[in-house]
Amino acid sequence: MTEAVPLSLCAREPRVPADRLVAEMVPPPRFDSVRFETYVPDRNQPSQAEAVTVLSSFAAGLGGAHATGSGRRRWFTRKPAAPAAPRGVYLDGGYGVGKTHLLASLWHATPAEPSLKAFGTFVELTNLVGALGFQQTVKTLSGHRLLCIDEFELDDPGDTVLVSTLLGKLVEAGVALAATSNTLPGKLGEGRFAAADFLREIQGLSAHFRPLRIDGEDYRHRGLPEAPAPFSDEQVTRASHATGGASLDDFPQLLEHLARVHPSRYGALTDGVRAVCLTDVRPVPDQSTALRLVVLADRLYDREVPVLASGLPFDRLFSDEMLQGGYRKKYFRAISRLTALARDAKGLVEQ
């Protein structure tokens, strides 16, 4: 059998036009076919079934003509004396409880053409603003019925002000909002920057959402065996040559390469890649590198790309200091997702 020549992520420096960023604001391949009916609530966690009920009603309420002007509050009818109701839902919970599944299900269930609905991660949303400019982003998204934001996280004051202003403009235009995060909206930014200095912006963001708590354990590891141990360099290299469309990179070199590619292009970095093979996995040296790796892990998980690796297991990527800091939930999510992808990659190695 003729061996395939593996690809290299380090040899790629993709350029992503702005129109592609807009066109790709749909649920990623892993969540393309999910629906509320395919979500399996944990019977021991009633908040999961409740979330399905609330979100189903929310989606049904988004039918009809796009609300603008004085009619924009039609989704949340209220008596004149009542306080203003939030115009979005915010799914809060730990990693692996199915928040993205539910968010994508909401997108699919909303009765509107795909071109009137947008779905993207928080990073992708801020990257869209960078590509289009603020005013053009407002104009592009204002005609939408729904904006879904996955992995809502505020990592710096600039993002806080930017997103607060953007969402305020979209709400005024009648766009409904839905978001997921591991942090309640009033607590965004804690432990990462001087959140108190930007309390007004953070509280403004929180006012747009009705928090919906989803409890439970990580479904990716619920009842499953432990993650596979790393393979040898030889096994990983051999598997990369035997698997069509696989990439092969030295892990430290890949981390260096990620610093030269904007995170908005990490999805394009993996275009056409059927499996990622990594040698010499070792602890991530610093927080900036760690955050870039988190974004790559998210894109690989979204695209269902298995990851075969040698070196250290993925639960030893981040230092204890990182796992106790303000970005700990990001790092735990990355460990969870990379572990699931490592499990998917076991079949690539000849037994």
Side-chain angles (χ1 to χ4, degrees):
M1 182 177 67
T2 303
E3 289 189 346
V5 178
L7 307 169
S8 172
L9 299 183
C10 291
R12 295 182 163 194
E13 295 187 11
R15 295 290 182 266
V16 183
D19 57 352
R20 173 175 169 173
L21 294 177
V22 176
E24 290 185 343
M25 292 196 74
V26 297
R30 179 178 289 272
F31 300 99
D32 185 52
S33 61
V34 302
R35 300 294 187 273
F36 289 130
E37 294 77 13
T38 64
Y39 181 78
V40 182
D42 186 338
R43 287 181 291 183
N44 297 320
Q45 303 291 347
S47 62
Q48 295 187 8
E50 179 187 2
V52 173
T53 300
V54 172
L55 292 173
S56 296
S57 298
F58 184 76
L62 297 181
H66 178 67
T68 56
S70 61
R72 63 178 179 270
R73 296 186 180 89
R74 60 176 302 183
W75 306 315
F76 301 95
T77 303
R78 61 180 177 84
K79 297 179 181 179
R87 299 163 201 166
V89 289
Y90 190 101
L91 309 183
D92 174 68
Y95 47 91
V97 297
K99 299 187 301 298
T100 303
H101 183 137
L102 290 170
L103 188 69
S105 297
L106 172 64
W107 188 93
H108 288 297
T110 297
E113 293 295 321
S115 60
L116 296 179
K117 302 180 287 187
F119 184 107
T121 65
F122 182 83
V123 171
E124 289 170 332
L125 180 62
T126 55
N127 289 339
L128 182 66
V129 177
L132 297 182
F134 182 83
Q135 296 299 333
Q136 185 60 40
T137 301
V138 172
K139 182 178 179 181
T140 299
L141 297 179
S142 289
H144 284 59
R145 190 78 49 79
L146 172 69
L147 171 62
C148 294
I149 310 169
D150 200 19
E151 302 156 14
F152 201 117
E153 294 161 341
L154 298 179
D155 297 339
D156 60 59
D159 281 349
T160 303
V161 176
L162 173 69
V163 175
S164 175
T165 306
L166 174 63
L167 296 188
K169 295 287 187 182
L170 296 179
V171 167
E172 289 177 3
V175 181
L177 307 174
T180 72
S181 182
N182 305 119
T183 307
L184 284 168
K187 301 294 184 180
L188 287 165
E190 285 192 355
R192 305 174 202 180
F193 61 89
D197 294 341
F198 295 86
L199 186 59
R200 179 175 58 82
E201 285 80 5
I202 293 173
Q203 288 178 336
L205 285 172
S206 178
H208 296 316
F209 299 100
R210 168 192 172 180
L212 190 62
R213 177 70 187 180
I214 304 175
D215 299 302
E217 60 180 303
D218 189 343
Y219 80 91
R220 286 183 283 268
H221 311 300
R222 192 187 304 159
L224 293 174
E226 291 186 6
F231 294 95
S232 68
D233 286 352
E234 182 182 0
Q235 288 174 305
V236 172
T237 300
R238 187 167 58 243
S240 72
H241 284 82
T243 305
S247 65
L248 176 63
D249 292 280
D250 175 72
F251 185 69
Q253 291 181 4
L254 177 60
L255 294 184
E256 292 179 2
H257 183 63
L258 292 180
R260 298 189 289 271
V261 179
H262 193 276
S264 65
R265 301 171 184 167
Y266 287 4
L269 191 69
T270 65
D271 281 352
V273 176
R274 293 181 54 196
V276 167
C277 298
L278 301 171
T279 57
D280 194 22
V281 170
R282 60 179 67 179
V284 178
D286 57 75
Q287 191 150 263
S288 295
T289 303
L291 292 172
R292 288 192 288 268
L293 180 60
V294 168
V295 177
L296 178 64
D298 288 338
R299 301 293 77 76
L300 293 173
Y301 183 77
D302 288 345
R303 289 158 175 76
E304 301 180 298
V305 180
V307 178
L308 189 70
S310 68
L312 291 180
F314 289 129
D315 60 3
R316 295 174 61 185
L317 280 173
F318 308 108
S319 68
D320 289 341
E321 182 179 3
M322 290 179 184
L323 294 178
Q324 295 169 6
Y327 299 103
R328 60 188 177 277
K329 291 181 179 179
K330 282 190 173 187
Y331 300 145
F332 280 118
R333 184 181 76 230
I335 292 171
S336 171
R337 292 183 164 186
L338 288 171
T339 298
L341 295 176
R343 190 179 293 119
D344 293 342
K346 286 184 66 177
L348 300 178
V349 177
E350 296 180 2
Q351 302 300 321

